Amino acid sequence: MWRKLTLQEQRIEFEAAKKIYERAILKFHGVDGLDVYNISVPFKRNGKRYLFGRVEHREEWARSWVRLFDETGQDEWTVVKDSMIYTLEDPYISEIGDELVMGGTHVQYQSGRYSTFFGYFFRGTDLHNLYYFTTGPNKMKDIRLVPLTDGKIGVFSRPRSTEMRGKFGSESMIGFTVIDRLEELTADVIENAPYIHGIFGEGEWGGVNQAYLLDSGKIGVIGHICYQDKDENGGEVKVYLNMAFVFDPTTRESSDLHLIGSRPCYPPGPSKAPYLADCVFSSGIVMRPDGKADLYSGIGDCQAGRITIDYPFAGNGHLV
């Protein structure tokens, strides 16, 4: 997937041509005084709509919980009382067979100081009784699962390191591998997923946030793509953008990478820190009856929002 434009140039083109049909900041009830952000994509279980959200004090870092919320109004979500509380960040879900898999980042401390982080995975058929079952590689976020047409499970990885930048130019890569069943999801399998080349340019990073099986057999990916910028005072800004691309698990080719959202697409609001003022962290899309898609996203590491966009995988198949 070769690109002529830098990500900054793509962003300028996107902002000039974007079509946003609705925009909203999500309201969360039952967690007064705390921010809810970097949510999972909303999902249905037993006739109700739910999402998992990262809950945290505005002034604190790496001290968050993941809570379950159910939909109680238009863009309004209420914490489910007595539901499990997970010491995780940035939750995400996959539906594999009749099981729900929920993953998130667990930050480890030693003697009161941050030491490292891992992806933790929970599974089960009862939303209120999920079981912790496996752990991802050291210091890897954005591991995502997707059911495939043959009943197997696709696994996206997201290694990121300074060594990677020296080798590939980009700060992170995306890998992809296939397992037969959830029991095969191990840190080694994730770590050794072969890379998909050509997604990120010089100095960029990003990852998969939600993956969808399309009726063409391809995988539609909603992700984030990022670069460093400067504000008007020369301060560092981390730019996080919503993006989509299509991946063919048979040929291992990716195509149609394009931007689908940016911070100005959502209503104005605060950020956890000045360098996160231009940050949107994708959750995923939910299809609407009118054929458009609701894109959900964390905003500025302190809010969650929704925008309505055109279906991002047009011409590559429909969501299964």
Side-chain angles (χ1 to χ4, degrees), residues 203-214:
E204 298 169 9
W205 72 96
V208 175
N209 292 83
Q210 195 72 25
Y212 301 85
L213 179 63
L214 306 179

Side-chain angles (χ1 to χ4, degrees), residues 169-315:
S170 57
E171 282 190 31
S172 70
M173 295 289 281
I174 292 173
F176 180 80
T177 191
V178 175
I179 56 176
D180 289 324
R181 55 193 206 286
L182 285 173
E183 288 76 11
E184 295 175 8
L185 187 67
T186 65
D188 280 350
V189 164
I190 298 164
E191 190 85 70
N192 292 310
Y195 297 156
I196 307 165
H197 292 275
I199 293 178
F200 302 119
E202 189 77 31
E204 298 169 9
W205 72 96
V208 175
N209 292 83
Q210 195 72 25
Y212 301 85
L213 179 63
L214 306 179
D215 58 14
S216 59
K218 295 178 181 178
I219 300 168
V221 170
I222 301 295
H224 60 285
I225 189 166
C226 320
Y227 64 94
Q228 297 268 26
D229 205 355
K230 295 263 195 283
D231 62 22
E232 56 270 23
N233 304 315
E236 180 187 279
V237 175
K238 290 184 190 294
V239 179
Y240 277 66
L241 302 164
N242 305 130
M243 63 91 156
F245 69 90
V246 174
F247 179 69
D248 187 325
T250 307
T251 65
R252 296 189 58 86
E253 287 181 358
S254 56
S255 60
D256 195 26
L257 190 147
H258 61 288
L259 301 180
I260 56 172
S262 62
R263 181 63 190 91
C265 297
Y266 298 82
S271 62
K272 197 172 180 83
Y275 70 85
L276 294 167
D278 201 3
C279 169
V280 285
F281 187 71
S282 309
S283 300
I285 57 167
V286 175
M287 292 307 296
R288 296 159 53 101
D290 61 8
K292 292 184 169 51
D294 283 330
L295 169 63
Y296 289 83
S297 192
I299 306 170
D301 269 16
C302 66
Q303 292 183 307
R306 174 185 67 84
I307 56 175
T308 305
I309 61 172
D310 289 316
Y311 176 57
F313 310 124

Side-chain angles (χ1 to χ4, degrees), residues 28 31 34-40 51-58 60-69 85-92 102-107 109 141 272 276 281 283 298 300-304:
F28 292 93
V31 286
L34 296 166
D35 291 333
V36 182
Y37 66 101
N38 292 8
I39 59 175
S40 77
L51 58 76
F52 288 99
R54 174 176 176 173
V55 181
E56 194 169 48
H57 289 279
R58 178 73 55 90
E60 291 186 328
W61 295 90
R63 186 173 176 259
S64 60
W65 303 271
V66 164
R67 298 294 308 267
L68 179 67
F69 296 81
I85 299 173
Y86 305 86
T87 49
L88 297 173
E89 300 178 348
D90 305 346
Y92 45 90
M102 189 272 282
T105 302
H106 178 76
V107 177
Y109 282 78
K141 298 183 179 183
K272 197 172 180 83
L276 294 167
F281 187 71
S283 300
D301 269 16
C302 66
Q303 292 183 307

Side-chain angles (χ1 to χ4, degrees), residues 1 5 18 21 23 35 49 56 66 78 84 91 109 111 121 131 150 153 157 170 186 212 222 240 248 258 277 296:
M1 186 165 31
L5 298 178
K18 67 190 179 193
Y21 302 99
R23 65 194 79 208
D35 291 333
R49 286 227 307 169
E56 194 169 48
V66 164
T78 301
M84 287 174 75
Y109 282 78
S111 305
F121 291 85
Y131 289 83
D150 55 8
I153 302 163
S157 69
S170 57
T186 65
Y212 301 85
I222 301 295
Y240 277 66
D248 187 325
H258 61 288
Y296 289 83

